[in-house]
Amino acid sequence: MEPKFPERVPLAFLPTPVERLDRLSKHLGGPEIWIKRDDQTGLAMGGNKTRKLEFLGADALAQGADHLVTTGAPQSNHARQTAAAAARLGLGCSLVLRGQKPAAVTGNFLLDQLLGAHVYWSESHECNEAIGRVMADLRAIGRRPYLIPLGGSNVIGATGYVLAMRELLEQMAAEHLNFDFIVFASSSGGTQAGIVLGARAFGYRGGVLGISVDHPAEALKTQVAALATATATHLGLDALALAEAVVVNDDYLGEGYARVGENEREAIKLMAQLEGILLDPVYTGRAFGGLIDLIRWGAFTRGQRVLFWHTGGTAALPAFADRLL
Ligand SMILES: Cc1ncc(COP(=O)(O)O)c(C=O)c1O
């Protein structure tokens, strides 16, 4: 029986395209590389969070909320897409960004403000208190705030990627295509939890590999497995042995989160100059750099097909200009 999914508010252009990257595949001389363009979900420069926000936004409206509150890094793509979703749904938006307020108003930080969000700054270790204060202040003036966790990664947000996996399988069936591996950037775990659960629920038989952007593999695996299991329970899907399907590679953490190195620079330039597609410096550049390295090490064979799931983030590019060229 087809499971019943919660309501969503339409925010994304779906389905996102799936394309074959001929010039890049030829250049690397390994498997056939394909890409799924979730950088083209459409909401204020798109990205993976738009799929999550379709369900989080619907839940906020169902609860009678009039304001979205969330948190992220100074160049958070999630924060920018949340600001855009709030604007689209006629809700207010407050963002608690972690770290130092940057001197330059650029990238996502610029877009957050153009989209009408109120931006607050907090040191990482005080962030929860800062979020608590923003929520309390909003309630004190009669607003009804709805809190979205870091990365939109709870069972409601992850549902967006369960259905994204169904979308991909429908595209594969229509084109008589099969992918041996799906590879993407993983950080707060919601994308991977949804993909792993959707793969199980809708019968994808290939491998799913999350390339960690900022967490050690064991910690991220535990987080993704717990979220996939909780999401299965939330949706009434089979949660048995989901943890075994969670595969994370943490070989590409480099100098740390949002520190751009040669791995990211090479990946961004190769994708841009061979295919005319932009990656981002923090997530997809790092993950695609990891995929290039794995191909060079012979982790995939020539006859295989690998899908790189582009999760967006290109709005951050200008903020990293000095480290990209
Ligand atoms: C562009 C981009 N790719 C990938 C991710 C990782 O997604 P998740 O947090 O669901 O693991 C993020 C999260 O912020 C992102 O902005």
Side-chain angles (χ1 to χ4, degrees), residues 77 264 268 278-286 310 312-314 316-317:
N77 301 299
E264 292 78 25
I268 289 171
L278 297 172
L279 298 174
D280 85 287
V282 181
Y283 298 93
T284 54
R286 178 160 290 183
H310 190 331
T314 46
L317 275 169

Side-chain angles (χ1 to χ4, degrees), residues 48-49 52 77-78 151 153 185-192 280 283-284 311-313:
N48 60 340
K49 307 305 175 180
K52 300 181 182 184
N77 301 299
H78 164 66
S153 286
S186 194
S187 176
S188 66
T191 301
Q192 186 161 4
D280 85 287
Y283 298 93
T284 54
T311 46

Side-chain angles (χ1 to χ4, degrees), residues 13-87:
F13 297 155
L14 301 178
T16 55
V18 173
E19 303 177 289
R20 195 172 64 199
L21 302 179
D22 287 333
R23 279 166 49 75
L24 199 55
S25 304
K26 188 161 173 240
H27 177 85
L28 292 171
E32 198 172 285
I33 306 169
W34 290 65
I35 193 165
K36 180 150 173 71
R37 301 293 304 273
D38 276 14
D39 57 320
Q40 301 294 319
T41 52
L43 183 69
M45 301 185 78
N48 60 340
K49 307 305 175 180
T50 304
R51 291 188 188 267
K52 300 181 182 184
L53 285 159
E54 290 199 326
F55 290 93
L56 291 160
D59 191 48
L61 293 179
Q63 293 191 22
D66 60 9
H67 203 103
L68 302 182
V69 178
T70 199
T71 181
Q75 281 296 330
S76 168
N77 301 299
H78 164 66
R80 180 248 313 156
Q81 285 164 93
T82 300

Side-chain angles (χ1 to χ4, degrees), residues 165 169 172 178-182 199-200 202-208:
M165 196 60 210
L169 285 162
M172 287 164 59
N178 200 21
F179 294 114
D180 298 289
F181 284 91
I182 299 173
R200 163 74 66 78
F202 302 118
Y204 169 71
R205 302 209 185 284
V208 171

Side-chain angles (χ1 to χ4, degrees), residues 184 241 297:
F184 52 89
W297 279 98

